Amino acid sequence: MFFGFGPLIYKERRRLLFVALMAFLAGFVFYLRADLYFYGVHVAIVTGLVYALVVGLCAILVCRFLPSMRFMIEAVAVSRLALSFFVLAVPHVGYRILADPFVTALLVVFGGFLVSRLLHGRIIREKARGWRDRIVPRNGFQRAPVLVEANAWQFRFVGWMDDAVPIRV
């Protein structure tokens, strides 16, 4: 397949399905209150499908070209879903947050860091050996087994999601 995406999609199938499902649910919940229809289909369903498609394609690209960041994909997806539930529950504050893309992105990414810690435990990175490693990490573009400091269920989740056995620290 073009650029070797076939084996990559198969290897990352769990992560991609999880991320696409979370993106669909987030897009669906964001527009659930809207009374709009697109060719007879509620806009929440259309938006959810567009979210799933765009986020899924971006997830494939991240897994292909920045595989060391693959664990942030699912954490950010869960964070985005949590923000969508917040917008649904507290619309007068939530829509103000959504109106500012910088604040929305800041909340989603910061939430992704917190969710990653809850889902994956502590992911250990290799220490930088010089100035070059501080700018461009040595294994940043390679898919390597992940080193985790985690409890039992986090360790199982990381292994299941990565479809490989992580290394316990």
Side-chain angles (χ1 to χ4, degrees):
M1 193 175 221
F2 192 65
F3 290 117
F5 282 110
L8 173 79
I9 290 171
Y10 181 76
K11 180 174 254 181
E12 300 289 348
R13 66 191 179 279
R14 294 175 182 154
R15 179 173 286 116
L16 295 174
L17 183 63
F18 180 81
V19 168
L21 180 64
M22 293 292 116
F24 173 80
L25 289 174
F28 181 81
V29 171
F30 273 136
Y31 288 88
L32 194 57
R33 291 181 180 264
D35 192 26
L36 299 171
Y37 290 88
F38 187 74
Y39 291 105
V41 179
H42 196 275
V43 73
I45 295 172
V46 175
T47 306
L49 291 172
V50 169
Y51 266 49
L53 179 69
V54 170
V55 170
L57 290 174
C58 290
I60 291 171
L61 293 176
V62 167
C63 288
R64 175 72 171 144
F65 297 110
L66 292 170
S68 66
M69 301 249 337
R70 65 190 183 274
F71 292 101
M72 267 318 273
I73 298 170
E74 65 232 24
V76 168
V78 172
S79 174
R80 187 181 314 107
L81 182 63
L83 178 64
S84 71
F85 281 123
F86 177 79
V87 170
L88 182 67
V90 189
H92 60 280
V93 176
Y95 289 128
R96 287 186 184 162
I97 292 171
L98 289 180
D100 189 351
F102 179 75
V103 173
T104 304
L106 184 73
L107 286 174
V108 169
V109 172
F110 180 71
F113 283 115
L114 296 177
V115 169
S116 178
R117 191 63 176 230
L118 290 173
L119 282 179
H120 309 119
R122 185 166 173 248
I123 297 175
I124 309 295
R125 302 279 181 215
E126 187 177 316
K127 292 199 184 230
R129 295 184 192 142
W131 66 270
R132 183 186 174 279
D133 287 344
R134 294 185 196 283
I135 297 170
V136 180
R138 187 170 301 276
N139 293 332
F141 300 107
Q142 298 172 358
R143 190 180 198 279
V146 66
L147 296 154
V148 292
E149 184 179 312
N151 62 32
W153 75 267
Q154 290 169 328
F155 188 78
R156 282 193 309 271
F157 178 78
V158 169
W160 177 79
M161 188 63 74
D162 211 28
D163 200 17
V165 178
I167 300 169
R168 195 180 295 269
V169 177

